[in-house]
Amino acid sequence: MSRVVELLRELVSFPTHHAATAAAAGDELALCRHLAPLLAAAGADEVEVVACPRASGHPGGYVFARWGTPRTVVNAHVDTVPANSGWSHDPWTPTVADGRLAGLGSADTKGAIAAAIVALDQQRPRDVGLLFSGDEERGTAAVRAFLASAAA
């Protein structure tokens, strides 16, 4: 199995969904903390994990990695919508069949995050930041917190 598929399976296994109550919501911050050492291993000059509350009140956050002095920042969100009743299997247990990986968030946008991290195996960026932020599906608290930070 390819490195990007292996990594995507890891990322999907983190429930990061929104819910009506904080107790029922997933944990974006856990995924951000999981991504931080991967970004550091890819040679980032600095990696920062920041907690900020989601609209539901549940802890959310972002992870920001920079190479040099970013002139470009690429952002992908770590949160997902809640699983609906149409799932034929556990949405946080990724399955691979017929060359496709199925799991909540695999296409929007945990797949993009996995691809970006694996691309770092081949190319080290210069003057670029990678921002993996939460709360995109409801409220954008993580992006607003990042924009208010010194890193922005």
Side-chain angles (χ1 to χ4, degrees):
M1 199 169 302
S2 75
R3 176 155 149 64
V4 73
V5 171
E6 289 291 333
L7 181 54
L8 181 54
R9 290 178 73 173
E10 287 177 31
L11 304 184
V12 168
S13 71
F14 283 84
T16 56
H17 59 287
H18 283 274
T21 66
D27 191 345
E28 297 171 357
L29 204 49
L31 180 53
C32 291
R33 288 181 178 129
H34 180 78
L35 293 169
L38 301 176
L39 294 163
D45 295 319
E46 181 180 26
V47 178
E48 179 181 29
V49 176
V50 176
C52 56
R54 295 195 301 195
S56 67
H58 189 74
Y62 65 84
V63 59
F64 178 66
R66 67 167 184 80
W67 289 260
T69 303
R71 295 167 38 163
T72 302
V73 174
V74 176
N75 179 42
H77 63 94
V78 298
D79 60 317
T80 68
V81 298
N84 63 30
S85 61
W87 283 92
S88 59
H89 69 278
D90 177 8
W92 298 286
T93 302
T95 60
V96 179
D98 299 323
R100 295 176 184 234
L101 186 143
L104 188 60
S106 59
D108 183 21
T109 64
K110 292 177 180 179
I113 294 169
I117 290 173
V118 170
L120 294 170
D121 292 344
Q122 303 297 316
Q123 183 72 38
R124 294 290 190 257
R126 280 183 249 146
D127 297 331
V128 169
L130 287 179
L131 174 64
F132 300 137
S133 61
D135 199 40
E136 182 272 345
E137 297 292 349
R138 285 192 180 161
T140 65
V143 169
R144 284 185 280 125
F146 171 74
L147 291 174
S149 75

